[in-house]
Amino acid sequence: MATGASRADRTRGRLLVAPPFLFALLLLAVPLTVIVLFSFWSQDFLTLDRTFTLANYREALTDPLYRQLLFRSVWIAATVTAVTVILAYPVAYFLSFHVPPASKGLWLFLITIPFWTSYLIRVFLWKVILGFNGVLNTTLETLGLIDAPLSWVLYNATSVVITLAHAFAPFAILPIFVALERIDRSLIEASRDLGESRLTTFLRVTLPLSMGGIVAAILIVFIPTVGDYITPRLVGGPDGLMIANMIQTQFLRLNNAPMGAALSVLAMLSVGFVAAIVVLGLRRVAGLGR
Amino acid sequence: MKRPIVELRDIHKNFDGEQALDDLSLDIAEGEFFSLLGPSGCGKTTLLRTIAGFEQPERGTLTLDGKPMEGVQANRRPTNMVFQSYAIFPHLDVARNVGFGLRRSRLSASEKSNAVEEALQMVGLGGFGKRAAHALSGGQRQRVALARALILKPRVLLLDEPMSALDRKLRETMQDELRRLQRQVGITFILVTHDQEEALIMSDRIAVMFDGRIAQVAAPGELYLRPASRRVAQFIGMMSFLPARLRGREIEVDGFGRTDVSERQAPGGLKDGPAEVGIRPEMMSLLSEPPSQGQRAASGRVSEVTYYGDMSYYAVMLDGTDRTVTVSMKNLPGGVTAERGEAVTVSWDPGSLMIF
């Protein structure tokens, strides 16, 4: 009887996971396999040569253009992540510790309002703000703070960082907020009671206990920004282009899918590598690596 | 009494317009085991948190060890606290929890780890230093919280309902240990509790609090035998109340009859007119024989029997009244027992009546 029941349970369990499993298989595993396969093939004008080769990887790793783009992608993503998390932490902290519980929901709602508009529109908005005759420059000129429009704010890496940091702010605020909310307030009082000031209490109790949220925020921001395509395309200019733009060029303009695939795999590997370091490193720092 | 280590003068505190502490004054002597006892919401935890520095009173002064505490933050006060939730740091092991407050001390690393081990041994957790915080049982968490507070040798240790999360057996053990520990270290302990039994067992003195005010401060025995008001009497132990009428020194109690009383039986003074009489269960007994000469007795009918093993409590409806009194009897071999519905004779002692 017992085994019969558990077998029925197992069947039901399998039926329940089947649709998402098929979905994941079709939309994640299959394309991923195709990409990996392509990266070991080569393109000969219009024909695809299916013999195994490492030539794409050799070229990707030796050509300074690809190396520079990959390095820049990781660098921009790291900067965006740092800026976003550092700016998000105080917001999340304020929300968790200084907003009365009854109005926390309203505050969270207000924080998410800008994200009701599409990502694309928000990127265009930043173009309007940062542009040569944009909001920022005309304001500063009218105020007499600058004589000529600032040129370094648009069509370079800085504008990519600003736009992406804004786009990902709530994704960093929310996990940190949740981590801070889960800290038992008596722990903070206990630290004060045991002789620590506000600052040292933050460093010894609040910060390590919110490390889980910080790690989540770092990963949530870093992983998608490395491969971001729209933002560098629209506000990046030639100096702000990232690896995703090159992958798009390889696939759709140069008709070199194997090269694009190899670059994609390399981008994925660098993301995975950095993510692993972040998870392992910060966990150890926080003493959470039990 | 030794000089007070904690002096509270006219402390007033509001929470969102609601009065938590109402012009409260209190002295606590050095080396005392002092309890703040009261129902939930009476302000006892607020008072403890005011002493710790987590709440700022709107008015009044607090002096700890002779120093005024106004504007002194919690981390600068000579107090340490054992929190109701124990507040064990989940990201630190037992030794780091216990040694948390030693960071600012001038001890060397080895002296610190010795102090930690010593503190752990004191609470019976020797060798537990490497244990992770989440691997501790409720009783062990409480011991860690105690060790963490005592290692800093505070002038006053504050305990916020430390036993409320423990099961009964463990609670009894911890009550014994806490008492022993307090005698051993000689530090002033201030315990907040809603459990009158716990307060009676552990304390040198108890302050009973209602509605942000202190109703009575006394040693456990005095509190039990000479409650200052009906409300205190009702809160501490069990007491039965009977309507009565007072005239001079003579009182007529429903169901009991007339008797003479003295001034010391009436904390509010003897005033002619309607009054209420309180009597403890052990001050009455069920009689197996007719009352002897001079013994006062009343007749009634048992309406409920509550069995506690060593004792039984009998609720007796007194003849001619609609009130019951609770009588406690030891369950001795061959002793008097009664069934529900049985007619019984209850003897009582006029000297033990309290008049409110």
Side-chain angles (χ1 to χ4, degrees):
Chain A
M1 280 307 278
T3 51
S6 77
R7 193 176 302 152
D9 275 354
R10 239 177 288 148
T11 314
R12 202 168 53 154
R14 285 200 188 119
L15 279 173
L16 275 170
V17 295
F21 180 73
L22 282 175
F23 186 80
L25 197 71
L26 279 173
L27 292 174
L28 197 71
V30 172
L32 204 62
T33 317
V34 170
I35 289 282
V36 172
L37 276 177
F38 260 80
S39 71
F40 292 112
W41 295 340
S42 54
Q43 187 84 32
D44 187 16
F45 292 103
L46 291 174
T47 54
L48 194 65
D49 183 357
R50 288 197 174 80
T51 48
F52 179 86
T53 173
L54 287 171
N56 297 318
Y57 287 100
R58 207 172 299 129
E59 194 186 339
L61 290 170
T62 49
D63 189 321
L65 175 64
Y66 299 140
R67 262 213 317 238
Q68 193 199 349
L69 280 175
L70 196 57
F71 180 74
R72 186 192 287 157
S73 299
V74 172
W75 173 243
I76 286 180
T79 313
V80 168
T81 308
V83 168
T84 312
V85 172
I86 287 168
L87 291 179
Y89 199 98
V91 177
Y93 186 92
F94 174 78
L95 211 58
S96 180
F97 283 86
H98 296 288
V99 172
S103 36
K104 276 180 185 170
L106 179 68
W107 276 79
L108 286 173
F109 173 75
L110 291 174
I111 283 172
T112 52
I113 277 188
F115 301 88
W116 292 16
T117 47
S118 107
Y119 177 46
L120 197 62
I121 289 172
R122 272 178 286 131
V123 179
F124 271 116
L125 263 170
W126 277 105
K127 250 177 116 143
V128 173
I129 293 170
L130 300 173
F132 194 75
N133 285 318
V135 179
L136 182 73
N137 277 325
T138 45
T139 308
L140 290 177
E141 273 183 293
T142 314
L143 290 173
L145 293 172
I146 52 170
D147 300 326
L150 301 171
S151 55
W152 53 267
V153 290
L154 191 60
Y155 299 128
N156 56 27
T158 313
S159 52
V160 175
V161 170
I162 292 173
T163 309
L164 284 174
H166 172 246
F168 282 95
F171 298 103
I173 293 172
L174 291 177
I176 297 171
F177 169 74
V178 170
L180 289 171
E181 280 290 283
R182 282 166 57 171
I183 298 175
D184 180 356
R185 297 307 190 251
S186 69
L187 295 174
I188 288 152
E189 288 189 339
S191 169
R192 298 296 313 265
D193 188 64
L194 293 166
E196 297 295 353
S197 66
R198 275 178 217 283
L199 179 68
T200 50
T201 292
F202 174 76
L203 294 175
R204 291 189 77 190
V205 179
T206 317
L207 188 61
L209 286 177
S210 60
M211 204 44 93
I214 296 176
V215 169
I218 288 175
L219 296 179
I220 288 173
V221 177
F222 182 80
I223 292 171
T225 43
V226 170
D228 197 82
Y229 167 76
I230 292 284
T231 303
R233 178 74 205 273
L234 291 178
V235 302
D239 294 341
L241 284 182
M242 289 164 67
I243 194 73
N245 306 103
M246 179 51 78
I247 293 169
Q248 188 259 355
T249 307
Q250 292 290 348
F251 270 102
L252 301 179
R253 300 239 179 119
L254 303 177
N255 195 24
N256 191 352
M259 191 64 218
L263 289 173
S264 303
V265 171
L266 284 176
M268 267 189 284
L269 287 177
S270 17
V271 169
F273 182 68
V274 174
I277 288 177
V278 167
V279 171
L280 296 176
L282 284 181
R283 285 272 158 103
R284 190 154 302 162
V285 167
L288 285 167
R290 310 187 249 272
Chain B
M1 198 162 91
K2 282 186 256 178
R3 77 186 167 90
I5 192 156
V6 179
E7 292 168 74
L8 295 148
R9 289 286 170 275
D10 308 316
I11 297 284
H12 196 91
K13 173 82 188 166
N14 281 316
F15 277 125
D16 303 325
E18 206 137 321
Q19 214 160 62
L21 296 175
D22 185 9
D23 289 329
L24 183 148
S25 296
L26 180 66
D27 283 345
I28 296 168
E30 181 152 21
E32 226 180 349
F33 198 125
F34 195 92
S35 291
L36 298 169
L37 173 66
S40 54
C42 73
K44 56 192 192 297
T45 296
T46 307
L47 182 58
L48 194 79
R49 290 172 56 81
T50 304
I51 298 171
F54 297 129
E55 306 288 353
Q56 308 308 322
E58 273 108 47
R59 289 200 302 272
T61 57
L62 162 65
T63 312
L64 285 179
D65 203 12
K67 294 178 198 77
M69 283 295 129
E70 197 182 337
V72 180
Q73 296 202 343
N75 51 329
R76 304 254 176 236
R77 294 193 181 194
T79 57
N80 283 116
M81 185 139 159
V82 173
F83 289 82
Q84 186 169 15
S85 64
Y86 308 140
I88 304 298
F89 299 116
H91 58 304
L92 303 175
D93 63 19
V94 168
R96 289 203 173 131
N97 261 287
V98 173
F100 191 89
L102 291 180
R103 188 184 66 89
R104 299 163 54 81
S105 80
R106 289 201 187 83
L107 300 176
S108 71
S110 69
E111 283 172 320
K112 278 181 193 172
S113 69
N114 285 343
V116 167
E117 188 52 35
E118 216 171 276
L120 281 172
Q121 266 164 15
M122 186 169 65
V123 296
L125 284 181
F128 272 68
K130 287 279 161 278
R131 196 71 75 89
H134 62 86
L136 297 172
S137 69
Q140 289 168 338
R141 295 173 84 80
Q142 191 195 34
R143 287 157 196 263
V144 171
L146 260 173
R148 185 176 72 179
L150 286 173
I151 200 172
L152 299 175
K153 302 193 169 58
R155 305 287 289 136
V156 181
L157 183 75
L158 308 168
L159 301 121
D160 185 11
E161 307 224 16
M163 252 79 83
S164 59
L166 305 179
D167 63 61
R168 195 190 166 94
K169 270 273 174 265
L170 192 56
R171 190 158 64 223
E172 284 169 4
T173 318
M174 287 311 295
Q175 284 168 350
D176 279 354
E177 275 196 46
L178 210 56
R179 194 77 186 93
R180 174 187 62 76
L181 206 59
Q182 195 266 338
R183 290 207 186 95
Q184 186 189 325
V185 297
I187 291 172
T188 311
F189 278 34
I190 304 178
L191 172 79
V192 159
T193 181
H194 61 266
D195 182 346
Q196 46 102 6
E197 200 176 301
E198 184 170 290
L200 291 176
I201 292 169
M202 302 181 71
S203 323
D204 294 320
R205 284 198 308 152
I206 300 169
V208 182
M209 287 181 71
F210 296 118
D211 308 324
R213 281 179 220 184
I214 289 177
Q216 188 174 5
V217 184
E222 197 191 335
L223 203 60
Y224 187 79
L225 293 172
R226 299 270 158 250
S229 66
R230 197 196 146 164
R231 208 168 171 195
V232 174
Q234 206 170 17
F235 193 72
I236 306 284
M238 208 182 276
M239 192 172 245
S240 305
F241 294 95
L242 291 169
R245 282 148 309 279
L246 192 66
R247 196 161 173 201
R249 293 192 168 274
E250 193 188 56
I251 194 163
E252 191 197 337
V253 184
D254 284 7
F256 275 5
R258 285 168 200 279
T259 183
D260 284 341
V261 288
S262 70
E263 288 275 357
R264 58 173 195 90
Q265 283 169 267
L270 292 171
K271 274 169 270 157
D272 283 5
E276 217 167 4
V277 152
I279 186 161
R280 296 283 186 199
E282 69 278 11
M283 299 297 180
M284 295 175 280
S285 54
L286 300 183
L287 295 182
S288 53
E289 295 156 1
S292 56
Q293 198 66 37
Q295 193 176 21
R296 302 299 305 260
S299 55
R301 196 168 287 278
V302 175
S303 61
E304 201 63 69
V305 182
T306 315
Y307 180 72
Y308 277 95
D310 58 336
M311 308 273 286
S312 287
Y313 284 84
Y314 300 91
V316 179
M317 176 82 78
L318 296 174
D319 289 348
T321 70
D322 57 353
R323 296 291 190 100
T324 61
V325 289
T326 303
V327 181
S328 70
M329 292 294 285
K330 279 204 173 119
N331 292 327
L332 300 169
V336 183
T337 58
E339 301 287 320
R340 201 156 76 89
E342 206 177 313
V344 289
T345 309
V346 177
S347 78
W348 53 279
D349 167 28
S352 65
L353 297 182
M354 293 294 297
I355 296 129
F356 300 109

